[in-house]
Amino acid sequence: MRKVLNICSVLYFIWTSIILTLIFNGKIVFGQGIGDMFYVILLVILQIIFGYIFFLNIKKKVTLPLIVTILLIVCVLLFTLKMTIYRGIEYPWNGSVFFE
């Protein structure tokens, strides 16, 4: 179980790092204009929280339940949907993930 959480956490960090890099380069938007900062801040906070949980898990100070892995998967799915299909009114989705 610990191995599955570690793999999911590493994949989450890679995904979040790529998304944050593309957001700051202007390639990906959430369609809310200045409201995109809410999602950026939320991504950074979630990355810090899951990073802390990941390092606690590596140091074997705490064993984590399956719910943490499920939360990681749900966060990735919700943010991906918000970047694509459920983009805001200001920059609606045109079938492309990247903002043009």
Side-chain angles (χ1 to χ4, degrees), residues 12 15 19 30 33 38-39 41 49 53 55 60 68 72 75 77 81 89 94 98-100:
Y12 177 75
W15 179 84
I19 295 301
F30 291 102
F38 168 75
Y39 296 106
I41 292 169
I49 290 171
I53 291 171
F55 287 117
K60 298 178 182 161
V68 174
L72 282 172
C75 285
L77 289 175
L81 282 173
I89 291 175
N94 60 358
F98 298 110
F99 182 67
E100 298 166 355

Side-chain angles (χ1 to χ4, degrees), residues 32-84:
Q32 303 293 327
I34 196 80
D36 283 355
M37 290 309 295
F38 168 75
Y39 296 106
V40 172
I41 292 169
L42 189 60
L43 272 174
V44 170
I45 289 171
L46 287 174
Q47 190 169 17
I48 290 169
I49 290 171
F50 286 125
Y52 180 72
I53 291 171
F54 175 70
F55 287 117
L56 282 181
N57 195 27
I58 285 179
K59 290 183 179 183
K60 298 178 182 161
K61 289 186 178 180
V62 65
T63 55
L64 301 168
L66 181 63
I67 192 75
V68 174
T69 306
I70 292 171
L71 282 174
L72 282 172
I73 293 169
V74 167
C75 285
V76 168
L77 289 175
L78 289 176
F79 275 102
T80 303
L81 282 173
K82 186 64 183 155
M83 287 183 296
T84 57

Side-chain angles (χ1 to χ4, degrees), residues 2-17:
R2 187 181 302 261
K3 197 172 219 178
V4 172
L5 178 66
N6 288 343
I7 291 170
C8 286
S9 295
V10 169
L11 290 175
Y12 177 75
F13 291 130
I14 292 169
W15 179 84
T16 307
S17 300

